[in-house]
Each structure stands twice: as C-alpha cells, then as structure tokens.
Amino acid sequence: MNTNNEPDEMRSEYDFSAGVRGKHSKAYTQDSNVIVLEPDVAAVFHNAAAVNHALRLVINGHCG
C-alpha cells in the first residue's frame, strides 16, 4: 500500500508467484531482538550503543 503519493515502483515483470511468505522469519526472530522505541525515547537515544549503555546502567543499579 503506497500512502506517500508517489507512483508504485513495482514493475509488471516482477514475478513473486514462487515466493514463500515468512521463509526467513523464524531464523530472524531467533538471531535478533528488535525493539521499537517510542518517539520521545528515540529522540534521546540516537543509536543502539546509547540505548545499551543506559540499560546497562539500570541493570547495574546506577540509576533510580
């Protein structure tokens, strides 16, 4: 679904009829931890290193 008012970039010659939905989803969920930050939190923590540093401080009892 294209909601940004730009023309679709999919070409008619693309053929996904043999594709398998979710083929790699199990491996992806086992090898990664994706966490979506709320916008106000993401505005403070600009990258994974900053988030990890803050969480390690909390884990080690340096905050709160």
Side-chain angles (χ1 to χ4, degrees):
M1 180 176 184
N2 188 353
T3 60
N4 61 6
N5 296 326
E6 293 180 13
D8 288 335
E9 294 184 21
M10 294 297 293
R11 297 182 181 173
S12 60
E13 62 267 21
Y14 292 159
D15 180 11
F16 295 105
S17 62
V20 178
R21 181 179 293 272
K23 181 176 180 179
H24 301 285
S25 64
K26 184 175 180 182
Y28 178 77
T29 58
Q30 289 176 347
D31 294 335
S32 67
N33 257 342
V34 176
I35 299 171
V36 179
L37 302 177
E38 295 291 329
D40 60 323
V41 176
V44 176
F45 298 101
H46 300 285
N47 56 44
V51 173
N52 287 326
H53 177 73
L55 290 175
R56 286 187 180 104
L57 289 175
V58 171
I59 291 168
N60 293 321
H62 296 289
C63 295

